[in-house]
Amino acid sequence: MTSPVGFTLLQLRYFLEAAERGSMTEASGALHIAQSAVSAAIHNLERDLRVQLFIRRRGRGLTLTPAGERLQSHARELLARAREVEREARGDGETISGPVAVGCFVTLAPYYLPPLFSECTRRYPGIEIDVMEAETDQLVQALGAGRIDFALTYGLGLSAEPDLRGETIARAPAYVIVPADHPLARQGAVELAELSAEPLVLLDLPHSRDYFRSLVAATGTAPDVRYRTRSYETVRSLVARGLGYSVLNQRPATSQTYGGGEIAELELRDGSPPLEVKIASVRGMTQTARAQAVMGLLREVAARTIP
């Protein structure tokens, strides 16, 4: 027989609410119970676990200790699993429903989210997808804090995160864009060295910028970064205006830009490796049935997506 657990799910729920809000008072208001009940539950939880979960400062609210931060992640997973067990016990397991928090790298969102939402609405109408669009570092932080169930992102930067696992669901080769009237526009394919004398319009996102610069540097030339922007579509519009060339990975369905200009897409003959599109999650974490269902839909979407 296994030993009894020294805490309750109710204590974990109160702890998570206080941790999220940084205040016993705000937690009690959100839970519609007396503040003394929240304080007592957390005090008993700390006593049973023999750890201090919060640093309490008068007038400055609650701050999680390192032990509290670790418990916060585990508590979210435990409560999610408990809700799954409850639904199974009630016979609701066949109907997958509830919230799924998904992180998505900003430039991947326009390609993957619309078909994902469409398929999810058709097949799992009870699932509510809550999306956080962000850059890789922010997604990694959100995964570690338990704010999202999983993230869709490029593999850039993930290898340095031992607590995360990444599943490759697609590959996106790099390609060049130039103005539609560029002398090389009709070539179909180029080597980056052919553009070394021209300015580079850089998609200036963490990790991405280093990747694009490294592709140019591999030709033995230093990239002449004349313009930089964090917006994918602004890159395309600047190129269409004749202000330089750029290197991208995901391909829009049209060569037209928001500003009314037009670009030409050229394959790269340099043999550079494609970027891997990955589903990233916390290693060892058990995903809920609804999160697994959304992951499955993403795999299907990726199989149909031509980068």
Side-chain angles (χ1 to χ4, degrees), residues 158-175:
L158 288 186
S159 59
E161 303 295 333
D163 294 334
L164 299 183
R165 64 178 297 272
E167 174 195 349
T168 301
I169 62 171
R171 288 176 172 81
Y175 69 99

Side-chain angles (χ1 to χ4, degrees), residues 92-258:
D92 299 336
E94 294 182 3
T95 303
I96 301 177
S97 62
V100 177
V102 179
C104 188
F105 190 72
V106 285
T107 61
L108 291 175
Y111 300 93
Y112 285 86
L113 294 187
L116 173 65
F117 287 0
S118 178
E119 279 298 300
C120 192
T121 299
R122 184 175 68 85
R123 290 159 62 174
Y124 304 108
I127 289 181
E128 304 165 12
I129 301 178
D130 182 21
V131 175
M132 170 188 174
E133 294 182 43
E135 297 159 11
T136 301
D137 292 345
Q138 295 168 308
L139 295 176
V140 168
Q141 291 174 6
L143 282 167
R147 294 195 299 273
I148 55 178
D149 295 299
F150 62 88
L152 178 71
T153 184
Y154 288 119
L156 295 172
L158 288 186
S159 59
E161 303 295 333
D163 294 334
L164 299 183
R165 64 178 297 272
E167 174 195 349
T168 301
I169 62 171
R171 288 176 172 81
Y175 69 99
V176 167
I177 60 171
V178 295
D181 58 357
H182 192 279
L184 300 177
R186 296 185 180 277
Q187 257 187 222
V190 294
E191 294 183 5
L192 280 173
E194 297 179 66
L195 297 162
S196 60
E198 301 187 27
L200 171 67
V201 181
L202 181 66
L203 180 60
D204 194 18
L205 294 173
H207 302 293
S208 295
R209 56 175 167 250
D210 297 330
Y211 165 74
F212 293 128
R213 292 174 71 111
S214 70
L215 293 182
V216 179
T219 66
T221 61
D224 177 16
V225 180
R226 197 78 55 86
Y227 306 95
R228 58 181 72 221
T229 174
R230 300 168 71 88
S231 166
Y232 194 90
E233 183 56 31
T234 302
V235 167
R236 298 176 78 244
S237 295
L238 289 171
V239 170
R241 286 275 183 176
L243 297 175
Y245 74 98
S246 190
V247 186
L248 298 172
N249 291 88
Q250 296 296 325
R251 299 197 183 201
T254 175
S255 60
Q256 297 290 320
T257 67
Y258 285 180

